[in-house]
PDB file of all heavy atoms in Angstrom:
ATOM      1  N   GLY I1457    -125.293  61.434  -0.080  1.00 95.00           N
ATOM      2  CA  GLY I1457    -125.956  60.152  -0.189  1.00 95.00           C
ATOM      3  C   GLY I1457    -127.383  60.187  -0.712  1.00 95.00           C
ATOM      4  O   GLY I1457    -128.020  59.162  -0.789  1.00 95.00           O
ATOM      5  N   PHE I1458    -127.804  61.297  -1.203  1.00 97.00           N
ATOM      6  CA  PHE I1458    -129.131  61.379  -1.830  1.00 97.00           C
ATOM      7  C   PHE I1458    -129.208  62.582  -2.749  1.00 97.00           C
ATOM      8  O   PHE I1458    -128.512  63.541  -2.582  1.00 97.00           O
ATOM      9  CB  PHE I1458    -130.255  61.429  -0.779  1.00 97.00           C
ATOM     10  CG  PHE I1458    -130.210  62.626   0.163  1.00 97.00           C
ATOM     11  CD1 PHE I1458    -130.822  63.824  -0.160  1.00 97.00           C
ATOM     12  CD2 PHE I1458    -129.555  62.559   1.356  1.00 97.00           C
ATOM     13  CE1 PHE I1458    -130.781  64.908   0.686  1.00 97.00           C
ATOM     14  CE2 PHE I1458    -129.480  63.633   2.249  1.00 97.00           C
ATOM     15  CZ  PHE I1458    -130.140  64.815   1.910  1.00 97.00           C
ATOM     16  N   ALA I1459    -130.113  62.464  -3.753  1.00 97.00           N
ATOM     17  CA  ALA I1459    -130.331  63.498  -4.728  1.00 97.00           C
ATOM     18  C   ALA I1459    -131.627  64.237  -4.415  1.00 97.00           C
ATOM     19  O   ALA I1459    -132.464  63.728  -3.710  1.00 97.00           O
ATOM     20  CB  ALA I1459    -130.388  62.923  -6.138  1.00 97.00           C
ATOM     21  N   THR I1460    -131.768  65.444  -4.964  1.00 96.00           N
ATOM     22  CA  THR I1460    -132.984  66.224  -4.758  1.00 96.00           C
ATOM     23  C   THR I1460    -133.549  66.702  -6.085  1.00 96.00           C
ATOM     24  O   THR I1460    -132.813  66.791  -7.079  1.00 96.00           O
ATOM     25  CB  THR I1460    -132.732  67.464  -3.880  1.00 96.00           C
ATOM     26  OG1 THR I1460    -131.794  68.303  -4.514  1.00 96.00           O
ATOM     27  CG2 THR I1460    -132.231  67.088  -2.506  1.00 96.00           C
ATOM     28  N   ASP I1461    -134.817  66.968  -6.089  1.00 96.00           N
ATOM     29  CA  ASP I1461    -135.484  67.591  -7.221  1.00 96.00           C
ATOM     30  C   ASP I1461    -136.341  68.711  -6.613  1.00 96.00           C
ATOM     31  O   ASP I1461    -137.305  68.450  -5.928  1.00 96.00           O
ATOM     32  CB  ASP I1461    -136.376  66.547  -7.937  1.00 96.00           C
ATOM     33  CG  ASP I1461    -137.384  67.158  -8.952  1.00 96.00           C
ATOM     34  OD1 ASP I1461    -137.372  68.396  -9.102  1.00 96.00           O
ATOM     35  OD2 ASP I1461    -138.102  66.384  -9.543  1.00 96.00           O
ATOM     36  N   ASP I1462    -135.912  69.940  -6.878  1.00 95.00           N
ATOM     37  CA  ASP I1462    -136.636  71.108  -6.308  1.00 95.00           C
ATOM     38  C   ASP I1462    -137.397  71.776  -7.472  1.00 95.00           C
ATOM     39  O   ASP I1462    -136.932  72.740  -8.078  1.00 95.00           O
ATOM     40  CB  ASP I1462    -135.640  72.073  -5.686  1.00 95.00           C
ATOM     41  CG  ASP I1462    -136.328  73.284  -5.083  1.00 95.00           C
ATOM     42  OD1 ASP I1462    -137.547  73.252  -4.896  1.00 95.00           O
ATOM     43  OD2 ASP I1462    -135.596  74.288  -4.839  1.00 95.00           O
ATOM     44  N   GLU I1463    -138.546  71.235  -7.798  1.00 95.00           N
ATOM     45  CA  GLU I1463    -139.388  71.741  -8.883  1.00 95.00           C
ATOM     46  C   GLU I1463    -138.731  71.711 -10.255  1.00 95.00           C
ATOM     47  O   GLU I1463    -139.037  72.551 -11.081  1.00 95.00           O
ATOM     48  CB  GLU I1463    -139.894  73.153  -8.568  1.00 95.00           C
ATOM     49  CG  GLU I1463    -140.716  73.279  -7.277  1.00 95.00           C
ATOM     50  CD  GLU I1463    -141.288  74.665  -7.076  1.00 95.00           C
ATOM     51  OE1 GLU I1463    -140.551  75.495  -6.539  1.00 95.00           O
ATOM     52  OE2 GLU I1463    -142.451  74.885  -7.495  1.00 95.00           O
ATOM     53  N   GLU I1464    -137.839  70.803 -10.466  1.00 95.00           N
ATOM     54  CA  GLU I1464    -137.117  70.662 -11.740  1.00 95.00           C
ATOM     55  C   GLU I1464    -137.914  69.846 -12.779  1.00 95.00           C
ATOM     56  O   GLU I1464    -137.773  70.049 -13.973  1.00 95.00           O
ATOM     57  CB  GLU I1464    -135.741  70.055 -11.523  1.00 95.00           C
ATOM     58  CG  GLU I1464    -134.864  70.945 -10.686  1.00 95.00           C
ATOM     59  CD  GLU I1464    -133.673  70.184 -10.135  1.00 95.00           C
ATOM     60  OE1 GLU I1464    -132.915  69.608 -10.944  1.00 95.00           O
ATOM     61  OE2 GLU I1464    -133.507  70.157  -8.900  1.00 95.00           O
ATOM     62  N   HIS I1465    -138.710  68.929 -12.278  1.00 94.00           N
ATOM     63  CA  HIS I1465    -139.523  68.080 -13.154  1.00 94.00           C
ATOM     64  C   HIS I1465    -140.954  68.607 -13.234  1.00 94.00           C
ATOM     65  O   HIS I1465    -141.564  68.586 -14.299  1.00 94.00           O
ATOM     66  CB  HIS I1465    -139.525  66.651 -12.617  1.00 94.00           C
ATOM     67  CG  HIS I1465    -140.496  65.760 -13.328  1.00 94.00           C
ATOM     68  ND1 HIS I1465    -141.524  65.184 -12.729  1.00 94.00           N
ATOM     69  CD2 HIS I1465    -140.605  65.441 -14.638  1.00 94.00           C
ATOM     70  CE1 HIS I1465    -142.218  64.493 -13.555  1.00 94.00           C
ATOM     71  NE2 HIS I1465    -141.704  64.623 -14.742  1.00 94.00           N
ATOM     72  N   ALA I1466    -141.487  69.083 -12.100  1.00 94.00           N
ATOM     73  CA  ALA I1466    -142.865  69.626 -12.113  1.00 94.00           C
ATOM     74  C   ALA I1466    -142.946  70.777 -11.101  1.00 94.00           C
ATOM     75  O   ALA I1466    -142.434  70.646  -9.999  1.00 94.00           O
ATOM     76  CB  ALA I1466    -143.841  68.503 -11.743  1.00 94.00           C
ATOM     77  N   VAL I1467    -143.625  71.808 -11.495  1.00 95.00           N
ATOM     78  CA  VAL I1467    -143.802  72.961 -10.626  1.00 95.00           C
ATOM     79  C   VAL I1467    -144.625  72.544  -9.400  1.00 95.00           C
ATOM     80  O   VAL I1467    -145.635  71.818  -9.528  1.00 95.00           O
ATOM     81  CB  VAL I1467    -144.518  74.123 -11.361  1.00 95.00           C
ATOM     82  CG1 VAL I1467    -144.835  75.267 -10.436  1.00 95.00           C
ATOM     83  CG2 VAL I1467    -143.664  74.603 -12.540  1.00 95.00           C
ATOM     84  N   GLY I1468    -144.138  72.951  -8.209  1.00 94.00           N
ATOM     85  CA  GLY I1468    -144.859  72.646  -6.946  1.00 94.00           C
ATOM     86  C   GLY I1468    -144.480  71.308  -6.376  1.00 94.00           C
ATOM     87  O   GLY I1468    -145.043  70.914  -5.322  1.00 94.00           O
ATOM     88  N   LEU I1469    -143.498  70.625  -6.928  1.00 94.00           N
ATOM     89  CA  LEU I1469    -143.115  69.296  -6.466  1.00 94.00           C
ATOM     90  C   LEU I1469    -141.675  69.269  -6.019  1.00 94.00           C
ATOM     91  O   LEU I1469    -140.794  69.789  -6.753  1.00 94.00           O
ATOM     92  CB  LEU I1469    -143.307  68.262  -7.578  1.00 94.00           C
ATOM     93  CG  LEU I1469    -142.736  66.867  -7.346  1.00 94.00           C
ATOM     94  CD1 LEU I1469    -143.493  66.134  -6.252  1.00 94.00           C
ATOM     95  CD2 LEU I1469    -142.755  66.077  -8.655  1.00 94.00           C
ATOM     96  N   ARG I1470    -141.401  68.720  -4.863  1.00 95.00           N
ATOM     97  CA  ARG I1470    -140.036  68.469  -4.402  1.00 95.00           C
ATOM     98  C   ARG I1470    -139.878  67.016  -4.078  1.00 95.00           C
ATOM     99  O   ARG I1470    -140.840  66.350  -3.626  1.00 95.00           O
ATOM    100  CB  ARG I1470    -139.717  69.268  -3.130  1.00 95.00           C
ATOM    101  CG  ARG I1470    -139.494  70.725  -3.369  1.00 95.00           C
ATOM    102  CD  ARG I1470    -138.816  71.435  -2.185  1.00 95.00           C
ATOM    103  NE  ARG I1470    -138.629  72.800  -2.506  1.00 95.00           N
ATOM    104  CZ  ARG I1470    -139.228  73.819  -1.904  1.00 95.00           C
ATOM    105  NH1 ARG I1470    -140.055  73.584  -0.893  1.00 95.00           N
ATOM    106  NH2 ARG I1470    -138.999  75.060  -2.264  1.00 95.00           N
ATOM    107  N   CYS I1471    -138.718  66.463  -4.279  1.00 96.00           N
ATOM    108  CA  CYS I1471    -138.492  65.093  -3.894  1.00 96.00           C
ATOM    109  C   CYS I1471    -136.992  64.854  -3.582  1.00 96.00           C
ATOM    110  O   CYS I1471    -136.154  65.662  -3.932  1.00 96.00           O
ATOM    111  CB  CYS I1471    -138.992  64.123  -4.948  1.00 96.00           C
ATOM    112  SG  CYS I1471    -137.842  63.638  -6.234  1.00 96.00           S
ATOM    113  N   VAL I1472    -136.777  63.778  -2.835  1.00 97.00           N
ATOM    114  CA  VAL I1472    -135.434  63.298  -2.535  1.00 97.00           C
ATOM    115  C   VAL I1472    -135.378  61.853  -3.024  1.00 97.00           C
ATOM    116  O   VAL I1472    -136.400  61.172  -3.083  1.00 97.00           O
ATOM    117  CB  VAL I1472    -135.106  63.361  -1.017  1.00 97.00           C
ATOM    118  CG1 VAL I1472    -135.053  64.796  -0.557  1.00 97.00           C
ATOM    119  CG2 VAL I1472    -136.128  62.584  -0.217  1.00 97.00           C
ATOM    120  N   ALA I1473    -134.187  61.395  -3.349  1.00 98.00           N
ATOM    121  CA  ALA I1473    -134.057  60.036  -3.835  1.00 98.00           C
ATOM    122  C   ALA I1473    -132.686  59.445  -3.501  1.00 98.00           C
ATOM    123  O   ALA I1473    -131.692  60.181  -3.431  1.00 98.00           O
ATOM    124  CB  ALA I1473    -134.280  59.973  -5.342  1.00 98.00           C
ATOM    125  N   SER I1474    -132.668  58.150  -3.306  1.00 98.00           N
ATOM    126  CA  SER I1474    -131.429  57.439  -3.046  1.00 98.00           C
ATOM    127  C   SER I1474    -131.398  56.128  -3.808  1.00 98.00           C
ATOM    128  O   SER I1474    -132.467  55.648  -4.213  1.00 98.00           O
ATOM    129  CB  SER I1474    -131.268  57.225  -1.523  1.00 98.00           C
ATOM    130  OG  SER I1474    -129.982  56.779  -1.241  1.00 98.00           O
ATOM    131  N   VAL I1475    -130.234  55.598  -4.027  1.00 97.00           N
ATOM    132  CA  VAL I1475    -130.047  54.435  -4.899  1.00 97.00           C
ATOM    133  C   VAL I1475    -130.138  53.102  -4.125  1.00 97.00           C
ATOM    134  O   VAL I1475    -129.684  52.988  -2.996  1.00 97.00           O
ATOM    135  CB  VAL I1475    -128.644  54.539  -5.547  1.00 97.00           C
ATOM    136  CG1 VAL I1475    -128.367  53.346  -6.423  1.00 97.00           C
ATOM    137  CG2 VAL I1475    -128.571  55.814  -6.399  1.00 97.00           C
ATOM    138  N   ILE I1476    -130.626  52.145  -4.840  1.00 97.00           N
ATOM    139  CA  ILE I1476    -130.632  50.734  -4.399  1.00 97.00           C
ATOM    140  C   ILE I1476    -129.565  50.021  -5.285  1.00 97.00           C
ATOM    141  O   ILE I1476    -129.547  50.172  -6.523  1.00 97.00           O
ATOM    142  CB  ILE I1476    -132.025  50.083  -4.596  1.00 97.00           C
ATOM    143  CG1 ILE I1476    -133.023  50.845  -3.731  1.00 97.00           C
ATOM    144  CG2 ILE I1476    -131.962  48.594  -4.278  1.00 97.00           C
ATOM    145  CD1 ILE I1476    -134.467  50.540  -4.069  1.00 97.00           C
ATOM    146  N   PHE I1477    -128.663  49.312  -4.609  1.00 97.00           N
ATOM    147  CA  PHE I1477    -127.544  48.665  -5.293  1.00 97.00           C
ATOM    148  C   PHE I1477    -127.716  47.130  -5.397  1.00 97.00           C
ATOM    149  O   PHE I1477    -128.358  46.503  -4.511  1.00 97.00           O
ATOM    150  CB  PHE I1477    -126.229  48.909  -4.584  1.00 97.00           C
ATOM    151  CG  PHE I1477    -125.862  50.398  -4.590  1.00 97.00           C
ATOM    152  CD1 PHE I1477    -126.185  51.199  -3.473  1.00 97.00           C
ATOM    153  CD2 PHE I1477    -125.153  50.945  -5.629  1.00 97.00           C
ATOM    154  CE1 PHE I1477    -125.826  52.509  -3.490  1.00 97.00           C
ATOM    155  CE2 PHE I1477    -124.824  52.303  -5.613  1.00 97.00           C
ATOM    156  CZ  PHE I1477    -125.157  53.082  -4.548  1.00 97.00           C
ATOM    157  N   ASP I1478    -127.116  46.557  -6.432  1.00 95.00           N
ATOM    158  CA  ASP I1478    -127.115  45.097  -6.560  1.00 95.00           C
ATOM    159  C   ASP I1478    -125.906  44.480  -5.870  1.00 95.00           C
ATOM    160  O   ASP I1478    -125.163  45.214  -5.169  1.00 95.00           O
ATOM    161  CB  ASP I1478    -127.188  44.690  -8.068  1.00 95.00           C
ATOM    162  CG  ASP I1478    -125.931  45.075  -8.853  1.00 95.00           C
ATOM    163  OD1 ASP I1478    -124.897  45.423  -8.300  1.00 95.00           O
ATOM    164  OD2 ASP I1478    -126.052  44.981 -10.110  1.00 95.00           O
ATOM    165  N   GLU I1479    -125.701  43.205  -6.070  1.00 96.00           N
ATOM    166  CA  GLU I1479    -124.598  42.483  -5.389  1.00 96.00           C
ATOM    167  C   GLU I1479    -123.221  42.919  -5.863  1.00 96.00           C
ATOM    168  O   GLU I1479    -122.206  42.614  -5.221  1.00 96.00           O
ATOM    169  CB  GLU I1479    -124.764  40.959  -5.521  1.00 96.00           C
ATOM    170  CG  GLU I1479    -124.658  40.438  -6.954  1.00 96.00           C
ATOM    171  CD  GLU I1479    -125.958  40.471  -7.744  1.00 96.00           C
ATOM    172  OE1 GLU I1479    -126.884  41.225  -7.424  1.00 96.00           O
ATOM    173  OE2 GLU I1479    -126.057  39.676  -8.728  1.00 96.00           O
ATOM    174  N   TYR I1480    -123.137  43.645  -6.982  1.00 94.00           N
ATOM    175  CA  TYR I1480    -121.888  44.140  -7.483  1.00 94.00           C
ATOM    176  C   TYR I1480    -121.658  45.639  -7.163  1.00 94.00           C
ATOM    177  O   TYR I1480    -120.778  46.248  -7.699  1.00 94.00           O
ATOM    178  CB  TYR I1480    -121.836  43.936  -8.983  1.00 94.00           C
ATOM    179  CG  TYR I1480    -122.024  42.497  -9.421  1.00 94.00           C
ATOM    180  CD1 TYR I1480    -123.212  42.124 -10.003  1.00 94.00           C
ATOM    181  CD2 TYR I1480    -121.071  41.539  -9.162  1.00 94.00           C
ATOM    182  CE1 TYR I1480    -123.446  40.807 -10.378  1.00 94.00           C
ATOM    183  CE2 TYR I1480    -121.299  40.201  -9.500  1.00 94.00           C
ATOM    184  CZ  TYR I1480    -122.482  39.834 -10.109  1.00 94.00           C
ATOM    185  OH  TYR I1480    -122.730  38.516 -10.453  1.00 94.00           O
ATOM    186  N   ALA I1481    -122.490  46.176  -6.285  1.00 94.00           N
ATOM    187  CA  ALA I1481    -122.445  47.579  -5.894  1.00 94.00           C
ATOM    188  C   ALA I1481    -122.759  48.509  -7.050  1.00 94.00           C
ATOM    189  O   ALA I1481    -122.300  49.636  -7.136  1.00 94.00           O
ATOM    190  CB  ALA I1481    -121.142  47.928  -5.200  1.00 94.00           C
ATOM    191  N   GLU I1482    -123.562  48.029  -8.013  1.00 93.00           N
ATOM    192  CA  GLU I1482    -124.022  48.783  -9.171  1.00 93.00           C
ATOM    193  C   GLU I1482    -125.434  49.288  -8.882  1.00 93.00           C
ATOM    194  O   GLU I1482    -126.250  48.574  -8.322  1.00 93.00           O
ATOM    195  CB  GLU I1482    -124.028  47.952 -10.439  1.00 93.00           C
ATOM    196  CG  GLU I1482    -122.676  47.465 -10.846  1.00 93.00           C
ATOM    197  CD  GLU I1482    -121.768  48.580 -11.386  1.00 93.00           C
ATOM    198  OE1 GLU I1482    -122.278  49.512 -11.977  1.00 93.00           O
ATOM    199  OE2 GLU I1482    -120.548  48.444 -11.148  1.00 93.00           O
ATOM    200  N   PRO I1483    -125.798  50.499  -9.302  1.00 94.00           N
ATOM    201  CA  PRO I1483    -127.161  51.003  -9.089  1.00 94.00           C
ATOM    202  C   PRO I1483    -128.144  50.215  -9.954  1.00 94.00           C
ATOM    203  O   PRO I1483    -127.964  50.076 -11.177  1.00 94.00           O
ATOM    204  CB  PRO I1483    -127.066  52.479  -9.532  1.00 94.00           C
ATOM    205  CG  PRO I1483    -125.898  52.534 -10.434  1.00 94.00           C
ATOM    206  CD  PRO I1483    -124.936  51.481 -10.002  1.00 94.00           C
ATOM    207  N   ILE I1484    -129.212  49.711  -9.297  1.00 94.00           N
ATOM    208  CA  ILE I1484    -130.252  48.972 -10.058  1.00 94.00           C
ATOM    209  C   ILE I1484    -131.565  49.667 -10.048  1.00 94.00           C
ATOM    210  O   ILE I1484    -132.453  49.412 -10.881  1.00 94.00           O
ATOM    211  CB  ILE I1484    -130.440  47.522  -9.577  1.00 94.00           C
ATOM    212  CG1 ILE I1484    -130.761  47.453  -8.069  1.00 94.00           C
ATOM    213  CG2 ILE I1484    -129.184  46.684  -9.888  1.00 94.00           C
ATOM    214  CD1 ILE I1484    -131.210  46.094  -7.594  1.00 94.00           C
ATOM    215  N   ALA I1485    -131.779  50.553  -9.049  1.00 97.00           N
ATOM    216  CA  ALA I1485    -133.033  51.278  -8.927  1.00 97.00           C
ATOM    217  C   ALA I1485    -132.832  52.463  -8.006  1.00 97.00           C
ATOM    218  O   ALA I1485    -131.746  52.607  -7.400  1.00 97.00           O
ATOM    219  CB  ALA I1485    -134.107  50.354  -8.381  1.00 97.00           C
ATOM    220  N   ALA I1486    -133.848  53.284  -7.895  1.00 98.00           N
ATOM    221  CA  ALA I1486    -133.803  54.386  -6.939  1.00 98.00           C
ATOM    222  C   ALA I1486    -135.188  54.512  -6.266  1.00 98.00           C
ATOM    223  O   ALA I1486    -136.214  54.202  -6.886  1.00 98.00           O
ATOM    224  CB  ALA I1486    -133.424  55.684  -7.601  1.00 98.00           C
ATOM    225  N   LEU I1487    -135.162  54.934  -5.010  1.00 97.00           N
ATOM    226  CA  LEU I1487    -136.356  55.138  -4.249  1.00 97.00           C
ATOM    227  C   LEU I1487    -136.469  56.650  -4.021  1.00 97.00           C
ATOM    228  O   LEU I1487    -135.479  57.285  -3.712  1.00 97.00           O
ATOM    229  CB  LEU I1487    -136.253  54.406  -2.910  1.00 97.00           C
ATOM    230  CG  LEU I1487    -137.307  54.621  -1.896  1.00 97.00           C
ATOM    231  CD1 LEU I1487    -137.617  53.311  -1.179  1.00 97.00           C
ATOM    232  CD2 LEU I1487    -136.844  55.650  -0.858  1.00 97.00           C
ATOM    233  N   SER I1488    -137.697  57.198  -4.170  1.00 97.00           N
ATOM    234  CA  SER I1488    -137.848  58.621  -3.887  1.00 97.00           C
ATOM    235  C   SER I1488    -139.023  58.862  -2.905  1.00 97.00           C
ATOM    236  O   SER I1488    -139.917  58.018  -2.849  1.00 97.00           O
ATOM    237  CB  SER I1488    -138.077  59.428  -5.159  1.00 97.00           C
ATOM    238  OG  SER I1488    -139.360  59.183  -5.697  1.00 97.00           O
ATOM    239  N   ILE I1489    -138.910  59.965  -2.211  1.00 97.00           N
ATOM    240  CA  ILE I1489    -139.987  60.425  -1.373  1.00 97.00           C
ATOM    241  C   ILE I1489    -140.335  61.807  -1.919  1.00 97.00           C
ATOM    242  O   ILE I1489    -139.469  62.656  -2.060  1.00 97.00           O
ATOM    243  CB  ILE I1489    -139.528  60.559   0.097  1.00 97.00           C
ATOM    244  CG1 ILE I1489    -139.025  59.214   0.631  1.00 97.00           C
ATOM    245  CG2 ILE I1489    -140.656  61.141   0.973  1.00 97.00           C
ATOM    246  CD1 ILE I1489    -138.351  59.327   2.025  1.00 97.00           C
ATOM    247  N   SER I1490    -141.588  61.989  -2.277  1.00 96.00           N
ATOM    248  CA  SER I1490    -141.971  63.252  -2.953  1.00 96.00           C
ATOM    249  C   SER I1490    -143.297  63.762  -2.466  1.00 96.00           C
ATOM    250  O   SER I1490    -144.137  63.055  -1.972  1.00 96.00           O
ATOM    251  CB  SER I1490    -142.042  63.026  -4.459  1.00 96.00           C
ATOM    252  OG  SER I1490    -142.907  61.953  -4.801  1.00 96.00           O
ATOM    253  N   GLY I1491    -143.415  65.117  -2.604  1.00 95.00           N
ATOM    254  CA  GLY I1491    -144.623  65.769  -2.182  1.00 95.00           C
ATOM    255  C   GLY I1491    -144.665  67.210  -2.611  1.00 95.00           C
ATOM    256  O   GLY I1491    -143.698  67.715  -3.257  1.00 95.00           O
ATOM    257  N   PRO I1492    -145.730  67.910  -2.308  1.00 95.00           N
ATOM    258  CA  PRO I1492    -145.857  69.319  -2.714  1.00 95.00           C
ATOM    259  C   PRO I1492    -144.938  70.217  -1.876  1.00 95.00           C
ATOM    260  O   PRO I1492    -144.600  69.939  -0.707  1.00 95.00           O
ATOM    261  CB  PRO I1492    -147.327  69.626  -2.429  1.00 95.00           C
ATOM    262  CG  PRO I1492    -147.719  68.652  -1.351  1.00 95.00           C
ATOM    263  CD  PRO I1492    -146.912  67.430  -1.595  1.00 95.00           C
ATOM    264  N   THR I1493    -144.468  71.274  -2.534  1.00 94.00           N
ATOM    265  CA  THR I1493    -143.617  72.266  -1.853  1.00 94.00           C
ATOM    266  C   THR I1493    -144.282  72.874  -0.647  1.00 94.00           C
ATOM    267  O   THR I1493    -143.598  73.283   0.278  1.00 94.00           O
ATOM    268  CB  THR I1493    -143.187  73.369  -2.804  1.00 94.00           C
ATOM    269  OG1 THR I1493    -144.319  73.992  -3.385  1.00 94.00           O
ATOM    270  CG2 THR I1493    -142.287  72.827  -3.926  1.00 94.00           C
ATOM    271  N   ALA I1494    -145.592  72.865  -0.597  1.00 93.00           N
ATOM    272  CA  ALA I1494    -146.322  73.437   0.583  1.00 93.00           C
ATOM    273  C   ALA I1494    -146.030  72.644   1.848  1.00 93.00           C
ATOM    274  O   ALA I1494    -146.035  73.178   2.926  1.00 93.00           O
ATOM    275  CB  ALA I1494    -147.802  73.419   0.323  1.00 93.00           C
ATOM    276  N   ARG I1495    -145.715  71.338   1.677  1.00 94.00           N
ATOM    277  CA  ARG I1495    -145.404  70.484   2.851  1.00 94.00           C
ATOM    278  C   ARG I1495    -143.899  70.206   2.963  1.00 94.00           C
ATOM    279  O   ARG I1495    -143.392  69.886   4.065  1.00 94.00           O
ATOM    280  CB  ARG I1495    -146.151  69.146   2.773  1.00 94.00           C
ATOM    281  CG  ARG I1495    -147.537  69.203   3.245  1.00 94.00           C
ATOM    282  CD  ARG I1495    -148.095  67.822   3.566  1.00 94.00           C
ATOM    283  NE  ARG I1495    -147.850  66.803   2.597  1.00 94.00           N
ATOM    284  CZ  ARG I1495    -148.687  66.544   1.564  1.00 94.00           C
ATOM    285  NH1 ARG I1495    -149.774  67.240   1.343  1.00 94.00           N
ATOM    286  NH2 ARG I1495    -148.362  65.572   0.713  1.00 94.00           N
ATOM    287  N   ILE I1496    -143.207  70.236   1.841  1.00 94.00           N
ATOM    288  CA  ILE I1496    -141.813  69.867   1.910  1.00 94.00           C
ATOM    289  C   ILE I1496    -140.921  71.121   1.751  1.00 94.00           C
ATOM    290  O   ILE I1496    -140.592  71.545   0.645  1.00 94.00           O
ATOM    291  CB  ILE I1496    -141.450  68.807   0.829  1.00 94.00           C
ATOM    292  CG1 ILE I1496    -142.286  67.565   1.041  1.00 94.00           C
ATOM    293  CG2 ILE I1496    -139.977  68.458   0.912  1.00 94.00           C
ATOM    294  CD1 ILE I1496    -142.024  66.423   0.092  1.00 94.00           C
ATOM    295  N   SER I1497    -140.606  71.691   2.910  1.00 93.00           N
ATOM    296  CA  SER I1497    -139.684  72.865   2.963  1.00 93.00           C
ATOM    297  C   SER I1497    -138.283  72.360   2.610  1.00 93.00           C
ATOM    298  O   SER I1497    -138.017  71.127   2.603  1.00 93.00           O
ATOM    299  CB  SER I1497    -139.709  73.470   4.326  1.00 93.00           C
ATOM    300  OG  SER I1497    -139.148  72.527   5.265  1.00 93.00           O
ATOM    301  N   MET I1498    -137.373  73.269   2.415  1.00 89.00           N
ATOM    302  CA  MET I1498    -135.971  72.844   2.155  1.00 89.00           C
ATOM    303  C   MET I1498    -135.386  72.103   3.356  1.00 89.00           C
ATOM    304  O   MET I1498    -134.632  71.163   3.186  1.00 89.00           O
ATOM    305  CB  MET I1498    -135.136  74.071   1.762  1.00 89.00           C
ATOM    306  CG  MET I1498    -135.523  74.664   0.415  1.00 89.00           C
ATOM    307  SD  MET I1498    -135.606  73.436  -0.924  1.00 89.00           S
ATOM    308  CE  MET I1498    -133.862  73.153  -1.252  1.00 89.00           C
ATOM    309  N   ASP I1499    -135.724  72.532   4.599  1.00 90.00           N
ATOM    310  CA  ASP I1499    -135.256  71.831   5.773  1.00 90.00           C
ATOM    311  C   ASP I1499    -135.814  70.405   5.825  1.00 90.00           C
ATOM    312  O   ASP I1499    -135.096  69.481   6.098  1.00 90.00           O
ATOM    313  CB  ASP I1499    -135.654  72.557   7.046  1.00 90.00           C
ATOM    314  CG  ASP I1499    -134.885  73.828   7.277  1.00 90.00           C
ATOM    315  OD1 ASP I1499    -133.781  73.961   6.689  1.00 90.00           O
ATOM    316  OD2 ASP I1499    -135.333  74.680   8.052  1.00 90.00           O
ATOM    317  N   ARG I1500    -137.103  70.287   5.557  1.00 94.00           N
ATOM    318  CA  ARG I1500    -137.690  68.937   5.568  1.00 94.00           C
ATOM    319  C   ARG I1500    -137.167  68.090   4.420  1.00 94.00           C
ATOM    320  O   ARG I1500    -137.049  66.870   4.548  1.00 94.00           O
ATOM    321  CB  ARG I1500    -139.235  69.034   5.430  1.00 94.00           C
ATOM    322  CG  ARG I1500    -139.903  67.679   5.575  1.00 94.00           C
ATOM    323  CD  ARG I1500    -141.329  67.746   6.059  1.00 94.00           C
ATOM    324  NE  ARG I1500    -141.819  66.410   6.281  1.00 94.00           N
ATOM    325  CZ  ARG I1500    -142.745  65.840   5.535  1.00 94.00           C
ATOM    326  NH1 ARG I1500    -143.343  66.510   4.567  1.00 94.00           N
ATOM    327  NH2 ARG I1500    -143.111  64.593   5.771  1.00 94.00           N
ATOM    328  N   LEU I1501    -136.793  68.724   3.323  1.00 92.00           N
ATOM    329  CA  LEU I1501    -136.205  68.004   2.175  1.00 92.00           C
ATOM    330  C   LEU I1501    -134.933  67.260   2.652  1.00 92.00           C
ATOM    331  O   LEU I1501    -134.767  66.092   2.290  1.00 92.00           O
ATOM    332  CB  LEU I1501    -135.910  68.954   1.050  1.00 92.00           C
ATOM    333  CG  LEU I1501    -135.632  68.359  -0.332  1.00 92.00           C
ATOM    334  CD1 LEU I1501    -136.839  67.758  -0.938  1.00 92.00           C
ATOM    335  CD2 LEU I1501    -135.050  69.432  -1.250  1.00 92.00           C
ATOM    336  N   MET I1502    -134.142  67.933   3.420  1.00 92.00           N
ATOM    337  CA  MET I1502    -132.906  67.299   3.917  1.00 92.00           C
ATOM    338  C   MET I1502    -133.214  66.168   4.899  1.00 92.00           C
ATOM    339  O   MET I1502    -132.588  65.112   4.859  1.00 92.00           O
ATOM    340  CB  MET I1502    -131.972  68.364   4.584  1.00 92.00           C
ATOM    341  CG  MET I1502    -131.467  69.411   3.625  1.00 92.00           C
ATOM    342  SD  MET I1502    -130.571  68.714   2.218  1.00 92.00           S
ATOM    343  CE  MET I1502    -131.489  69.353   0.834  1.00 92.00           C
ATOM    344  N   GLU I1503    -134.190  66.358   5.766  1.00 95.00           N
ATOM    345  CA  GLU I1503    -134.621  65.300   6.691  1.00 95.00           C
ATOM    346  C   GLU I1503    -135.151  64.099   5.917  1.00 95.00           C
ATOM    347  O   GLU I1503    -134.768  62.919   6.240  1.00 95.00           O
ATOM    348  CB  GLU I1503    -135.713  65.868   7.591  1.00 95.00           C
ATOM    349  CG  GLU I1503    -136.391  64.822   8.473  1.00 95.00           C
ATOM    350  CD  GLU I1503    -137.647  65.395   9.096  1.00 95.00           C
ATOM    351  OE1 GLU I1503    -137.703  66.591   9.473  1.00 95.00           O
ATOM    352  OE2 GLU I1503    -138.656  64.615   9.189  1.00 95.00           O
TER     353      GLU I1503
END
């Protein structure tokens, strides 16, 4: 139910993201939570 970015876009950055859907159950946007790898461990990434 969510995607991850483990330093794939920028070194030192991790993020998670999930989709926002419209009335037709089509993806219209996505929300992400992101931060430095120093604070976002792999365990915290899943949380």
